[in-house]
Amino acid sequence: MDVRFRFFVVSALLVTVTAEVYIVTMEGDPIISYKGGENGFEATAVESDEKIDTSSELVTLYARHLERKHDMILGMLFEEGSYKKLYSYKHLINGFAAHVSPEQAETLRRAPGVKSVNKDWKVRRLTTHTPEFLGLPTDVWPTGGGFDRAGEDIVIGFVDSGIYPHHPSFASHHRLPYGPLPHYKGKCEEDPHTKKSFCNRKIVGAQHFAEAAKAAGAFNPDIDYASPMDGDGHGSHTAAIAAGNNGIPLRMHGYEFGKASGMAPRARIAVYKALYRLFGGFVADVVAAIDQAVHDGVDILSLSVGPNSPPTTTKTTFLNPFDATLLGAVKAGVFVAQAAGNGGPFPKTLVSYSPWITTVAAAIDDRRYKNHLTLGNGKMLAGMGLSPSTRPHKLYTLVSANDVLLDSSVSKYNPSDCQRPEVLNKKLVQGKILLCGYSFNFVVGTASIKKVVETAKHLGAAGFVLVVENVSPGTKFDPVPSAIPGILITDVSKSMDLIDYYNVSTLRDWTGRVKSFKAEGSIGDGLTPVLHKSAPQVALFSARGPNTKDFSFQDADLLKPDILAPGYLIWAAWCPNGTDEPNYVGEGFALISGTSMAAPHIAGLAALVKQKHPQWSPAAIKSALMTTSTVIDRAGRPLQAQQYSDTETVTFVKATPFDYGSGHVNPSAALDPGLIFDAGYEDYLGFLCTTPGIDAHEIRNYTNTPCNYDMKHPSNFNAPSIAISHLVGTQTVTRRVTNVGEVEETYTITARMQPSTAIEVNPPAMTLRPGASRSFSVTLTVRSVSGVYSFGEVKLKGSRGHKVRIPVVALGHRR
């Protein structure tokens, strides 16, 4: 008996090890596009930009029917217990996720009624002062009734790492009472420990999705939390950027760094946790979260998540299950903001591809935290550190961690990075400034500045200096708040100045042991930010175009990213148990960077646009944000982008649309854009069908719609940008604009392009009544073939002051 039982356990383990998660799509329409035809089930399809009526009995019956079909095919093909269905996808795509062996996946691939079988793949996180920088308190919130009405009745869904519901950024007490939300029907899970709901009147939905993570053996309930609780910090941070309460005091270490606010502080938050602290997430869980969010009735989706790598079975970037699900979301009227990715500054590093998604690049705003170290020889070394100063007009003795070891045997602990106070001599450190080395451990996250602060405090140091002696390309230095004086010297040449001064001033015996410490210094005040006119600038890490249409990295006829928004050193809510950033463990706020931070800025601003224009489509909102954006910085110069020089140091170059898309978001102008470039589901299908190299059968697999080739070329898709990746001779593209102003307006149309490409527009002017639409054409001609893209723009200037601008990119080829 015992022997048989043990054999069973081993064989079960073998099945678990070889089985993997697969996403299967089925023949037959999902709810969003089912037009009837199946016996006994009436149509559930929605028009473009129309929400799914989930309360309808027709929708419920058809959803049950699809789920039964999913269960039936699995039950017919495989023995019970040899597989596990994880999710049924019914609303945006028709299919399911299942944990099966590769052999079973092959059986499914050949089964009648099955359209595609994709092995699941991983996704990753794409990891204030910005309301003022963007002009919200003065120019935007007042138009909607003030900050206490900004985003009223708009629900933003966050597919992220969950939320810390106890944070004041998400509190609903001491606020104007919220009214009912009849259009939103999301569920609220309870905390398994306290049995309290994760929701309040501000957080209106909270669910978690982890079936694929569990099946893959990646989920650990002790640290990942089988609930919407944020075990990472990332989800709380992104939710607070978009929709956190206004005026929350941002206190840390006894200092107040200002007041925190979301872009749309009155918007409601719906949480769909599908990312986890150690492994990121799985597409099967993310797709389930998006499907549920659209079913529940969110207005906006904020996605600070992207695939780790291309799926193995889909050739087309636009048609992986992730983007196909988002196409369904946009068809249901949901605006989708997605982080561009953090693979910059290298070309073709985007992880967000499709025209129905608003792809957001990250900008550096005008706030910089700088500090300085003054040496006893009078030299002043620049650095960074969000810390108070040492006492004014007083110099402190400098001691290197390597010179104050209790015992030489502790050198195995890499004592110079100051992570372990117990290996350093407190008597020698007390009252002095401790010098520490910024080792590779800080880059990989096994050492943190927070630990240096704790070490220095424990030893009674007057302050600390972290010295960077060598730097690898891509190393990102961010200022970290500190309760005691502290500075990070990031410039290697300045670090050498400090080391030389210390060595010359420190007297040693013949063994190298220090006889007396004579080097001195003082640390400046790093708590007050300096505002720069050179902002905004494109951040080094922000992913760059050109966009790609397939996973062979062939250029697409669609410009990405779409828009630039603040994403560098953003203050926002954090959860005390968050581990995503080791410097903020246990804190209530964090100052972090990433396109992850840029995407929720756009999600929150889209909520403000939707609040003012509730009938606008996702494409209309995207157009308003893009066509009113700016390509000029605060000093009136063209936008700059961080880039590597030949010597691998960071420098600034003139930015292009592949860095910033249409430009940096300008919220007040977006509320009144004058014209919009609108598009709907049929337009997105036209873009797919006319993109060379995409198999029409593959398009039908995901959209359940036959191809329509009326668009003729993907560059004719009505985007608020123009991209031609293979311009031979002359090509003409068309755009259609709609007057969303309240009065008739005449627009003059002009265009300019770099010399290698000629550009003409027709007509040169047009008059549009309110609500009227008109088309214009743009003709591009190759003048010379340079092998690099030409950049330009088309401007539509209105007689009543509206200014509409779209970027143009083209790559000329010989005939």
Side-chain angles (χ1 to χ4, degrees), residues 539-558:
L540 185 73
F541 56 80
S542 187
R544 310 297 212 259
N547 192 16
T548 52
K549 66 181 179 181
D550 58 32
F551 293 112
S552 306
F553 293 97
Q554 289 189 70
D555 292 13
D557 293 301
L558 179 75

Side-chain angles (χ1 to χ4, degrees), residues 279-304:
F279 56 86
F282 291 86
V283 170
D285 290 329
V286 172
V287 168
I290 295 166
D291 194 67
Q292 188 64 49
V294 176
H295 165 273
D296 293 345
V298 301
D299 299 294
I300 314 276
L301 263 178
S302 180
L303 298 172
S304 292

